[in-house]
Amino acid sequence: MTLFPAIDLVGGRVVRLANGDRSRMDVYSNDPASVARDFLARGASWVHVVDLSSALGEDEAAREANARAMRAICQVEGLSVDAGGGVRSIEAMRRLADLGVRRIAIGTALVRDAALARQAAREFGDMAVADVAAKDGVVRVNGWREGGGLRVDALVSGLAEMGFRHLVFTDIARDGMQAGVDASAYRRVAKAAGFPVVASGGIASSGDVRSLASLGPDVVEGCIVGRALYEGALTLEDALAACG
């Protein structure tokens, strides 16, 4: 199982939100590239980067600061970057690909612009990642601020037909809360999708990581860990060891 330590960006700073709520934000670093280099030095091979300023529709200065941070992270040699947040056009995906991003997540368009999502999967192939977040079984879009009008199973069951082979599934109620994981939810989502998921939301301990790894590679291909790393509840080394 692949571990994706998370770098969430707001205005060029490394942050974490509680349940995706911008008003409940903690800042951990003003140097995202340094955080990425530290993850690499401690054994990570991937990093999950989210441009929250774009996802939340913040001003141009904040979005440009994040663009500079993304560029710097992509220049960290030896580290593969999985990126998303506010990716709502093919042009945005191409810009990320040109920076060297290895996986590009697209979320809102899965619900709001199916033609764009299909084009993304067709043009980017294995680089394209479906990014699905839900609360109480209902998909959320537009930086998690709006209901997508779909149940999770209804959306993910059509992803393979659209051309996607990778899926990040986030449990919003647990995200940024260190509340532990609901392994059964990822089993259900992977079954509906027909391919394994990257689990996101709530990981608080190496036990949580082990419980996800124990589901097997046909259910969970990776997991994203954020706040637990930044607040010392879980070390990167222990998380990597728990991945097996």
Side-chain angles (χ1 to χ4, degrees):
M1 186 173 74
T2 301
L3 185 78
F4 296 83
I7 298 179
D8 288 358
L9 300 171
V10 167
R13 300 175 297 171
V14 179
V15 307
R16 292 298 290 173
L17 309 184
N19 304 136
D21 186 344
R22 177 65 170 81
S23 69
R24 301 166 67 192
M25 182 176 82
D26 294 304
V27 178
Y28 293 99
S29 175
N30 292 317
D31 189 347
S34 177
V35 173
R37 286 192 293 271
D38 179 64
F39 286 153
L40 176 66
R42 293 164 59 195
S45 57
W46 280 88
V47 66
H48 176 74
V49 185
V50 181
D51 180 354
L52 287 174
S53 293
S54 291
L56 297 172
E58 296 190 337
D59 62 31
E60 184 177 352
R63 288 183 281 112
E64 180 53 37
N66 278 3
R68 290 194 297 270
M70 186 77 73
R71 191 174 300 112
I73 291 168
C74 288
Q75 290 172 351
V76 176
E77 189 173 348
L79 192 65
S80 295
V81 177
D82 168 85
V87 180
R88 292 168 189 158
S89 70
I90 295 298
E91 290 71 24
M93 296 184 76
R94 289 172 181 159
R95 285 194 296 271
L96 290 171
D98 288 344
L99 288 177
V101 172
R102 295 279 304 279
R103 285 188 176 188
I104 304 168
I106 185 167
T108 297
L110 297 172
V111 176
R112 297 279 172 81
D113 193 343
L116 172 62
R118 289 176 185 276
Q119 183 182 354
R122 184 171 60 250
E123 180 169 334
F124 291 90
D126 206 49
M127 291 175 63
V129 178
D131 186 2
V132 177
K135 187 173 183 179
D136 299 324
V138 178
V139 176
R140 304 288 294 181
V141 298
N142 194 22
W144 302 356
R145 293 171 295 179
E146 301 173 11
L150 281 174
R151 301 290 299 180
V152 171
D153 287 359
L155 177 59
V156 301
S157 63
L159 293 176
E161 187 274 332
M162 294 175 79
F164 289 93
R165 296 296 180 268
H166 296 291
L167 164 64
V168 172
F169 177 69
T170 302
D171 184 343
I172 294 173
R174 296 172 183 267
D175 189 71
M177 301 302 293
Q178 297 185 62
V181 298
D182 179 1
S184 63
Y186 297 109
R187 188 181 290 110
R188 289 194 302 272
V189 170
K191 182 178 180 180
F195 54 87
V197 305
V198 173
S200 174
I203 293 175
S205 67
S206 56
D208 289 330
V209 179
R210 282 194 296 272
S211 72
L212 292 170
S214 71
L215 296 174
D218 292 336
V219 176
V220 176
E221 68 162 324
C223 65
I224 296 168
V225 185
R227 188 181 293 272
L229 295 177
Y230 291 105
E231 298 196 347
L234 173 63
T235 68
L236 181 62
E237 292 82 358
D238 284 348
L240 288 166
C243 285

